[in-house]
Amino acid sequence: MDLIYGLITGVLFGIFLQKGRVLRYDKQIAALRLQDMTIVKFMLSHVAVAMVGVYLLYDLGLVKLSLKPTILGGVIIGGLLFGLGWGLLGYCPGTSLGALGEGRWDSVWGILGMLVGAGLYAEAYPYLEKTVLTWGNYGKITIPQILGVNHWLIIVPFLLGTVFLFRWLEKRGL
């Protein structure tokens, strides 16, 4: 059943990506050049909605959190590789699949790169597990845990900051 939920949410996310016109190469590049914040607003909207939804379900006892450990070595190196690939191609992994669905064949290069990268990661995993994936391993932590506060004391200011950021970006035509 979890796979069906994943498929449904994946299809819905793809529809939102397409309707938000964030699958377009020009939108991707403009976001990376800080000229068009449509993608930033799109992603922050999803983070805000998911943050409220997940913690509301958690507080109601309907879900349990499955945290991944915070490992700075993997996050920093992975983030740099992700950003480099995004900047070179003009698509991130999710948008490259959506762009292919819209018939943009240039995104196939990104999908192939993603598959090759996943294969290389799998092959290198035994080495990475003993090196990079031990650098800065802070375990399964959250910001509320670090600060010792209820998660809503983080969520509400985040939502207010997001609304303020959106208004500021809209005033500047971004």
Side-chain angles (χ1 to χ4, degrees), residues 29-132:
I29 295 300
L32 293 174
R33 297 175 74 187
L34 304 177
Q35 296 172 336
D36 183 340
M37 295 291 112
T38 302
I39 293 174
V40 172
K41 290 184 279 188
F42 179 84
M43 295 307 292
L44 265 178
S45 297
H46 283 76
V47 168
V49 170
M51 184 182 289
V52 171
V54 166
Y55 275 101
L56 188 61
L57 292 173
Y58 177 73
D59 286 347
L60 293 173
L62 299 174
V63 298
K64 65 177 187 173
L65 300 180
S66 178
L67 301 175
K68 301 294 180 201
T70 300
I71 304 172
L72 295 182
V75 169
I76 292 169
I77 293 173
L80 289 172
L81 289 172
F82 180 89
L84 180 66
W86 189 8
L88 287 173
L89 182 66
Y91 295 111
C92 69
T95 57
S96 63
L97 291 169
L100 181 62
E102 285 188 336
R104 294 201 189 91
W105 288 96
D106 59 326
S107 65
V108 169
W109 295 108
I111 295 167
L112 290 174
M114 181 172 48
L115 294 173
V116 169
L120 290 173
Y121 180 79
E123 285 298 317
Y125 187 79
Y127 172 75
L128 296 173
E129 190 177 30
K130 295 174 188 165
T131 57
V132 174

